[in-house]
Amino acid sequence: MKWCFKQDGSQHDTDAIPTPKVIIDQDADPDATVVEVTFGDRLGALLDTVWSHILAEIVMRFVFLLLLTYLFRIFRFF
């Protein structure tokens, strides 16, 4: 669990509320200002969830096809 401290000294849970993090770098390049905005790893968690559901669906269909193939071979001999 991550905690963020506000300027007034209070703290709040950053996992409950997605808050953007902004980094402004004016020292790396004298001719440019580099701004980086991040929103945490919420998208990564969502992609992991979607990927696991896709893999589960593929495995279920593969097992179903194996079962049908097995049943077809059994009942073909009767």
Side-chain angles (χ1 to χ4, degrees), residues 24-58:
I24 300 173
D25 184 10
Q26 295 177 328
D27 298 328
D29 188 353
D31 297 328
T33 299
V34 178
V35 178
E36 178 182 346
V37 180
T38 59
F39 292 94
D41 197 24
R42 302 274 177 166
L43 181 60
L46 177 63
L47 290 176
D48 290 343
T49 303
V50 170
W51 183 245
S52 66
H53 285 290
I54 290 171
L55 285 178
E57 182 71 26
I58 291 170

Side-chain angles (χ1 to χ4, degrees), residues 8-25:
D8 61 0
S10 64
Q11 61 182 353
H12 67 281
D13 182 9
T14 58
D15 287 338
I17 303 169
T19 53
K21 180 180 177 184
V22 179
I23 299 172
I24 300 173
D25 184 10

